[in-house]
Amino acid sequence: MRDTVCVLGVNVDRVNMQSAAERAKEYIKTGGAVFTPNPEIIMKAYKSEEYKNVLNSADMVVPDGIGVVYAAKILKKPVPERVAGYDLTCNMLKYAGENDIPVYIYGGKDGIAKKAAENIEHDFGAKVCGYQHGYHKDTQFIIDEIKEKKPGIVLVCLGAPKQEMWIMENKKKFSPCLMIGAGGSADVLAGEAKRAPDIFIKMHLEWFYRLLKQPSRFFRMMVLPQFMITVLFKGDRKNA
Ligand code: UDP
């Protein structure tokens, strides 16, 4: 039985990094989809029944984004800590390196998946059995490649909602594996985008750092106050 908090209709698991990583390791053997929604993604789901159902059909939904942590607190069913999708992904890559688990990476612009694959092999010692960029119109050959190569971990980095939709549509076609909707992780793994310095992460200001680095995200980020206000006024406090 999952222990979750319902944040605007999305069931978020009340996990910390350690318990999330333990469960994710199990999914490598049993098969499982892990999503990593931040407030922007949850607002998308709040406005789309179809997308909300897709998120709720995951095996684990981790609280990525400090806004999700605050929301759970407001809803009186707090989560232990923020579990950033990128950090969970790195934990799993380290585990893959230590246990000879093949990894497949799908997503990012042309060249990004390849660079990310090289860095995964170099930095984590994990074997990357295949990679593809995220802008192919027909993805059937990617499905065939994953079926054939049987990775233990598939990172799907297509951004939301595309990555979650793709995972749910296709996961049954593959041998059991861990599939993570990993968003912009391919860009960070490729060295194309940088994670915020630790001080920003510790002060819960990673979102602010991303805004400074990419001012074009301003309009996307306007959704953050909207998310908090919606949680305050429309959040289901029966969670408690
Ligand atoms: N992307 C992709 N295919 C698409 C749309 C997006 O591979 O059709 C990639 C994009 O290149 C980027 C990632 O998906 O690497 C999404 O990045 P974003 O910063 O939006 O991720 P998020 O903030 O959702 O984690």
Side-chain angles (χ1 to χ4, degrees), residues 38 40-41 107-109 133-135 157-160 162-163 182-187 210 217 220:
N38 55 24
E40 201 185 326
I41 294 182
K109 294 196 185 77
H133 71 73
Y135 292 86
C157 307
L158 304 172
K162 212 173 158 184
Q163 60 199 9
S185 294
D187 294 325
R210 290 179 92 182
R217 290 183 87 97
R220 275 177 71 170

Side-chain angles (χ1 to χ4, degrees), residues 152-205:
I153 299 175
V154 182
L155 304 180
V156 185
C157 307
L158 304 172
K162 212 173 158 184
Q163 60 199 9
E164 292 85 9
M165 303 275 203
W166 193 87
I167 288 175
M168 284 339 242
E169 209 177 296
N170 296 300
K171 93 175 191 157
K172 285 211 175 73
K173 300 173 188 166
F174 309 133
S175 332
C177 62
L178 164 67
M179 303 189 79
I180 310 182
S185 294
D187 294 325
V188 185
L189 288 165
E192 189 71 13
K194 286 228 175 335
R195 196 76 202 280
D198 278 353
I199 181 81
F200 281 81
I201 296 178
K202 284 206 182 87
M203 290 174 75
H204 302 155
L205 288 173

Side-chain angles (χ1 to χ4, degrees), residues 92-139:
M92 290 303 106
L93 291 173
K94 184 166 175 279
Y95 182 73
E98 288 161 357
N99 294 278
D100 285 331
I101 294 161
V103 177
Y104 191 101
I105 176 158
Y106 170 37
K109 294 196 185 77
D110 199 5
I112 290 290
K114 181 171 188 285
K115 188 80 185 99
E118 285 165 10
N119 289 348
I120 289 171
E121 295 204 325
H122 180 267
D123 299 347
F124 298 94
K127 182 179 160 21
V128 177
C129 62
Y131 58 82
Q132 283 297 337
H133 71 73
Y135 292 86
H136 295 285
K137 286 225 161 60
D138 183 0
T139 66

